[in-house]
């Protein structure tokens, strides 16, 4: 099914890459993507998407083209409906959002209900293009806020927030029933997001205090006190890996240096990962030279968290 995705805009590229876990990208514009997705229900797993729509059409971002598109679609709704418009910053169309919404209402046959519609038809104007569709899902971003790490049984400062943890799992392509590994699991945020998607999860860490907290947060998860450079797992035994590698001097490691830890842990991830599986690794320094010894790097992103922290996100096979 061809779908339109209205994206969050949290990063210029990652939201588009995340969509690839549910379908094939066909078209990209500012904060908008079009993709072919075999199972639209799967799109509810996405973290950096706001709205998912059935693709109905697209046109140039001007009033005349928009009216021509609506006329050509000749939509007859048997349910109450509302027309909504989103104008991405920088779009070419000067008309107001309200005028464009009235335009939608006047070109669809059916009962308009602005307060509690059964259906929503939505136009997203981005740059020189307009994308028009029928809303299927609104991603429950409130669920991520509810899973704020401070609400968990065990909390430790500096942990990754749920939206990014979910995004990493999605970038790994881990699906229902797949075995997802986090060899530096900490308090278990990535494992939690994997569990919510139906993955089998396994985590390891050398810090027994953090591992105890992880067990409090995820009592049903399999977690091990293990050295990430010598995991007690068979070759090719995990479907996907998503992890945030440690940094600084406060972490519990056995390696003689951080670079040695990065190299040896990536070699071990390579060993336990099934052929064709993805490893998504976050670091706070650029280790592409080290990672390239063991993997093909298929994506590399940087995300600025604050002035002293920039995440380096590598997707590797």
């Amino acid at each position: 099914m061809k779908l339109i995705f209205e994206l969050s805009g949290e990063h210029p590229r990652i939201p588009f890459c995340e969509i690839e876990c549910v379908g094939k990208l066909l078209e990209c514009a500012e904060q908008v993507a079009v993709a072919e997705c075999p199972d639209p229900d799967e799109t509810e797993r996405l973290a950096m998407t706001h709205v998912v729509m059935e693709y109905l059409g697209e046109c140039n971002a001007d009033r005349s083209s928009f009216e021509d598109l609506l006329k050509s679609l000749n939509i007859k709704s048997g349910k109450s409906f509302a027309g909504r418009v989103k104008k991405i910053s920088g779009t070419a169309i000067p008309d107001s959002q309200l005028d464009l919404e009235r335009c939608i209402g006047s070109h669809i046959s059916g009962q308009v209900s602005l307060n509690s519609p059964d259906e929503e038809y939505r136009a997203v104007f981005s740059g020189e293009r307009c994308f028009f569709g029928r809303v299927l899902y609104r991603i429950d971003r409130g669920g991520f806020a509810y899973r704020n790490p401070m609400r968990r049984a065990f909390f430790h400062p500096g942990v990754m927030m749920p939206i990014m943890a979910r995004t990493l799992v999605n970038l790994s392509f881990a699906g229902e029933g797949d075995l997802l590994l986090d060899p530096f699991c900490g308090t278990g945020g990535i494992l939690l997001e994997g569990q919510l998607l139906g993955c089998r999860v396994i985590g390891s860490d050398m810090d027994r205090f953090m591992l105890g907290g992880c067990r409090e947060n995820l009592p049903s998860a399999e977690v091990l006190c293990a050295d990430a450079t010598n995991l007690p797992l068979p070759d090719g035994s995990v479907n996907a890996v998503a992890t945030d590698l440690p940094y600084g001097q406060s972490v519990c490691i056995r390696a003689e240096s951080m670079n040695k830890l990065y190299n040896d842990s990536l070699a071990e991830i390579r060993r336990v990962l099934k052929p064709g599986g993805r490893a998504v690794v976050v670091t706070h320094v650029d280790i592409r030279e080290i990672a390239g010894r063991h993997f093909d790097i298929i994506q590399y992103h940087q995300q600025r968290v604050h002035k002293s922290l920039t995440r380096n996100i590598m997707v590797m096979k």
Side-chain angles (χ1 to χ4, degrees):
M1 187 177 188
K2 196 173 182 180
L3 303 177
I4 301 168
F5 298 81
E6 186 180 321
L7 306 177
S8 66
E10 290 162 276
H11 190 274
R13 289 187 297 134
I14 294 175
F16 296 96
C17 295
E18 186 191 21
I19 289 170
E20 293 178 330
C21 75
V22 295
K24 180 181 179 182
L25 275 174
L26 303 175
E27 191 174 352
C28 299
E30 183 74 19
Q31 286 184 236
V32 183
V34 178
E36 187 67 38
C37 301
D39 184 358
D41 292 343
E42 279 290 300
T43 63
E44 291 190 276
R45 68 182 285 163
L46 298 174
M48 292 193 173
T49 291
H50 284 310
V51 183
V52 181
M53 293 167 270
E54 176 188 5
Y55 178 97
L56 297 180
E58 62 183 278
C59 63
N60 291 330
D62 62 75
R63 179 63 173 261
S64 176
S65 297
F66 185 46
E67 288 189 348
D68 287 345
L69 172 63
L70 293 172
K71 290 175 185 177
S72 70
L73 291 171
N74 191 28
I75 299 171
K76 295 179 173 62
S77 177
K79 302 177 180 179
S80 64
F81 75 92
R84 306 294 189 199
V85 168
K86 172 71 174 182
K87 294 174 67 176
I88 304 299
S89 177
T91 185
I93 194 163
D95 303 70
S96 73
Q97 178 181 326
L98 182 58
D99 282 346
L100 293 168
E101 289 177 346
R102 286 172 175 162
C103 184
I104 295 173
S106 68
H107 285 86
I108 295 178
S109 176
Q111 178 187 352
V112 175
S113 174
L114 298 181
N115 294 324
S116 55
D118 295 319
E119 289 187 317
E120 178 183 329
Y121 292 89
R122 188 171 183 84
V124 183
F125 290 85
S126 175
E128 300 293 330
R129 299 296 286 169
C130 167
F131 302 86
F132 186 70
R134 181 176 65 89
V135 173
L136 298 177
Y137 302 110
R138 290 183 177 275
I139 304 301
D140 179 18
R141 303 266 291 186
F144 294 108
Y146 183 79
R147 295 195 298 279
N148 186 300
M150 294 184 69
R151 300 172 66 100
R152 297 175 192 161
F154 178 88
F155 169 72
H156 192 272
V159 298
M160 185 177 290
M161 298 301 286
I163 285 178
M164 180 51 64
R166 170 65 64 88
T167 301
L168 297 184
V169 176
N170 285 336
L171 291 175
S172 80
F173 283 15
E176 186 173 358
D178 286 343
L179 182 59
L180 172 70
L181 167 69
D182 181 354
F184 297 95
C185 66
T187 63
I190 292 174
L191 299 180
L192 172 60
E193 295 303 320
Q195 272 195 341
L196 291 171
L197 293 175
C199 299
R200 297 176 295 129
V201 298
I202 183 168
S204 68
D205 208 293
M206 282 296 296
D207 189 327
R208 292 183 181 276
F209 175 70
M210 297 291 277
L211 207 59
C214 182
R215 290 191 176 106
E216 287 186 51
N217 290 336
L218 290 94
S220 62
E222 183 176 0
V223 291
L224 312 168
C225 185
D227 183 351
T229 67
N230 185 25
L231 295 167
L233 298 172
D235 295 358
S237 58
V238 302
N239 300 96
V241 175
T243 193
D244 186 2
L245 268 63
Y247 68 103
Q249 300 304 312
S250 62
V251 296
C252 180
I253 64 171
R254 286 183 176 176
E256 59 195 49
S257 70
M258 294 305 294
N259 280 349
K260 174 71 170 170
L261 173 67
Y262 296 149
N263 181 78
D264 293 356
S265 60
L266 289 174
E268 190 68 347
I269 289 171
R270 171 79 282 172
R271 180 186 69 79
V272 302
L273 187 63
K274 289 183 177 180
R278 284 187 169 203
V280 181
V281 172
V282 178
T283 59
H284 300 83
V285 292
D286 185 352
I287 63 165
R288 280 178 287 178
E289 188 276 328
I290 297 173
R293 301 171 194 167
H294 309 285
F295 289 93
D296 292 327
I297 302 170
I298 59 175
Q299 293 174 30
Y300 176 75
H301 311 285
Q302 287 190 313
Q303 183 200 40
R304 187 175 185 272
V305 181
H306 49 72
K307 64 181 181 180
S308 61
L309 175 59
T310 297
R311 290 191 179 111
N312 297 266
I313 302 166
M314 294 182 296
V315 182
M316 307 179 295
K317 292 182 74 175

